[in-house]
Amino acid sequence: MNLPFFIAKRYLFSKHTTNAVNLITGISVLGVAVGAAAMIIVLSAFNGLETLIRGFYNTFDPDLKIELAEGKNAAFADALEKQIAQTPFVEAYSFILEEKALFRANNREFIATLKGVDKHYLRVTDFENALLHGEFFPYEPEEDLAILGSGVAYHMGISKINMNTSIEVFVPKANSSILDPMSAVNTKRIYPIGIFSIQPDFDVKYTVVPIKMVQQIVDFETPRFSSIEIKAVEGTDIHELQEALQARLGEDFKVLNRDQQQVSIYKVLQTEGLATYLILAFILMVSSFGILGANIMLTLDKKEDIKTLWAMGADENLVRKIFFTEGLLTSFIGGIGGLLLGSLIVLIQKFTGIISLGEGYVVDAYPVELRLENFLLVLITVVVLGFLVSIISTRKLNKKSLLN
């Protein structure tokens, strides 16, 4: 067995001549354990929140989305559809055409986005799961049907009770003249057949309608689209498919994965998670300095043992290794204990929901999720801090300082 490890282990678990050494060592282990537990709990909470938010967005966002590199919309081309259809691991695709519109109903007005979808739309998203009331369009939808976001419905004064209320929609024409403002806008009356709810940003922004309706109301002479939504075959590497589609379509298009479709939201989550980790790492670093005091006290407590080791031929390097290993063991035991404690608390919350969010929230209990990478991150942080503190506590350890 490694001699420094063997002696350090004996020192850690043996009784000391001074009770203060036991107390300081115990406090050091407890401080590291509490810090490690706090880190794994908070990181698990962020994981749960991220998973929850992704679940909301994934209902509406496809696996991949093809957008125009420039311009608002483009003419439909058979060659483009053929390129997508022939790309391996593409299960389904749907052409989308979006247009801003002014809605008027029940003496109320509201600006929202008409999202025109084709008959393949349900094959690329889980939108049907987001329907609160009503149903999706029939296979060949009529051009005056609409599914309102719950936010749009609220502003229009429409609910499942009065869903038969029609809505007047005003959309600027594609090729209108500013000299004749009255001819620059097309009007159409639409009839809600459903209300969906996904996430407030979507609910207040979109109304889903047949794509032919948007093409008709804007007066496009030929079919056009603003984006194409892609469903990948189950188990496909999304990044590889993204690169394959981008290579096929060229620079005229941008192929976005789900993170890129909602880049601002996920960046905020990642930034908040990083900031929280750094704050907790700083607190853990302060807690780890208890190891410094414990090591110094232990060297004073074991002066006679050290003199015996030197008499037996040990050098200063061996003595430093003993107390360096002592510091690492203290840090490691505290870290493992904290990880186990934190993981236990997270699992209790996951399976019992002991911390409730109260009424009015999407979920009843605060979401948490344990991930292996977070477990390893906390353990590495604990070991690195223990390593640094152990070096500081032993770097000036020499025969002269202990024999005086």
Side-chain angles (χ1 to χ4, degrees):
M1 182 181 288
N2 183 278
L3 183 59
F5 177 78
F6 177 77
I7 297 174
K9 186 180 70 170
R10 291 291 300 271
Y11 283 172
L12 182 62
F13 296 108
S14 64
K15 292 183 178 180
H16 305 292
T17 56
T18 307
N19 288 331
V21 178
N22 296 319
L23 181 62
I24 294 174
T25 302
I27 292 173
S28 301
V29 172
L30 181 62
V32 173
V34 171
M39 288 187 76
I40 197 66
I41 290 169
V42 172
L43 290 175
S44 297
F46 271 101
N47 293 340
L49 185 62
E50 180 184 347
T51 299
L52 181 66
I53 291 174
R54 283 183 183 275
F56 293 148
Y57 283 104
N58 290 354
T59 301
F60 200 70
D61 291 335
D63 292 334
L64 293 172
K65 186 176 184 178
I66 301 171
E67 293 184 346
L68 302 172
E70 294 182 0
K72 185 177 178 182
N73 51 64
F76 175 84
D78 290 331
L80 174 63
E81 184 176 11
K82 188 176 180 180
Q83 282 182 312
I84 297 171
Q86 292 179 348
T87 303
F89 305 109
V90 171
E91 181 177 317
Y93 54 90
S94 175
F95 283 84
I96 307 297
L97 180 60
E98 295 185 7
E99 191 67 42
K100 286 277 190 181
L102 173 67
F103 290 59
R104 180 186 292 169
N106 299 321
N107 296 320
R108 302 182 182 187
E109 293 183 348
F110 188 71
I111 295 176
T113 299
L114 292 170
K115 180 170 182 172
V117 302
D118 63 18
K119 61 184 179 181
H120 304 297
Y121 183 62
L122 289 185
R123 295 182 62 196
V124 300
T125 68
D126 296 324
F127 179 76
E128 202 166 20
N129 295 332
L131 287 174
L132 290 179
H133 311 295
E135 58 185 1
F136 195 71
F137 307 124
Y139 187 73
E140 293 295 338
E142 299 178 23
E143 295 176 1
D144 57 355
L145 302 181
I147 302 174
L148 307 178
S150 58
V152 177
Y154 171 79
H155 286 286
M156 290 288 94
I158 294 175
S159 65
K160 65 177 181 179
I161 299 173
N162 62 342
M163 204 183 297
N164 57 349
T165 303
S166 65
I167 300 174
E168 202 171 4
V169 179
F170 302 87
V171 178
K173 291 182 181 180
N175 300 303
S176 57
S177 171
I178 60 173
L179 298 177
D180 186 7
M182 297 302 296
S183 65
V185 177
N186 274 342
T187 305
K188 188 173 182 64
R189 193 168 290 277
I190 60 176
Y191 299 88
I193 62 168
I195 297 174
F196 72 87
S197 178
I198 297 171
Q199 199 270 349
D201 290 345
F202 293 149
D203 299 344
V204 79
K205 179 179 180 180
Y206 287 107
T207 290
V208 177
V209 297
I211 191 170
K212 289 182 180 179
M213 192 207 100
V214 182
Q215 293 170 345
Q216 180 191 75
I217 195 172
V218 184
D219 270 352
F220 285 136
E221 296 179 358
T222 58
R224 300 182 74 84
F225 70 94
S226 54
S227 64
I228 308 168
E229 299 188 355
I230 306 291
K231 170 71 174 178
V233 173
E234 188 72 25
T236 301
D237 187 316
I238 295 298
H239 294 290
E240 288 184 4
L241 178 57
Q242 181 182 10
E243 291 174 0
L245 281 169
Q246 189 66 70
R248 279 176 176 263
L249 300 178
E251 297 180 354
D252 293 336
F253 297 93
K254 297 182 295 183
V255 182
L256 309 178
N257 57 38
R258 278 176 167 157
D259 285 0
Q260 292 167 333
Q261 291 171 47
Q262 304 296 338
V263 63
S264 59
I265 295 294
Y266 296 134
K267 275 189 175 180
V268 168
L269 285 174
Q270 291 170 359
T271 303
E272 288 180 347
L274 177 61
T276 304
Y277 165 76
L278 292 175
I279 292 170
L280 291 173
F282 178 77
I283 295 172
L284 184 59
M285 181 180 68
V286 174
S287 301
S288 297
F289 274 100
I291 300 171
L292 178 65
N295 255 10
I296 293 172
M297 291 293 292
L298 185 61
T299 57
L300 297 176
D301 185 65
K302 298 298 181 181
K303 264 190 177 184
E304 296 303 320
D305 291 358
I306 296 170
K307 290 176 182 178
T308 302
L309 288 172
W310 275 328
M312 295 174 63
D315 57 11
E316 291 180 354
N317 189 44
L318 177 61
V319 175
R320 288 196 187 99
K321 284 182 178 179
I322 291 170
F323 290 99
F324 173 79
T325 306
E326 174 82 13
L328 277 183
L329 282 174
T330 304
S331 180
F332 186 77
I333 291 171
I336 291 296
L339 285 172
L340 293 175
L341 175 63
S343 299
L344 178 62
I345 293 172
V346 170
L347 290 174
I348 290 173
Q349 172 63 18
K350 182 175 182 178
F351 292 109
T352 66
I354 193 170
I355 301 177
S356 175
L357 292 176
E359 296 181 0
Y361 289 89
V362 179
V363 290
D364 296 329
Y366 200 98
V368 290
E369 181 182 337
L370 275 175
R371 292 181 184 172
L372 178 60
E373 58 264 32
N374 293 145
F375 200 91
L376 294 175
L377 176 63
V378 174
L379 186 59
I380 290 171
T381 303
V382 168
V383 172
V384 169
L385 290 175
F387 180 86
L388 295 175
V389 170
S390 298
I391 287 179
I392 294 171
S393 67
T394 59
R395 67 189 179 92
K396 291 186 178 181
L397 191 62
N398 54 52
K399 187 178 292 187
K400 181 180 178 181
S401 65
L402 289 171
L403 290 177
N404 289 338

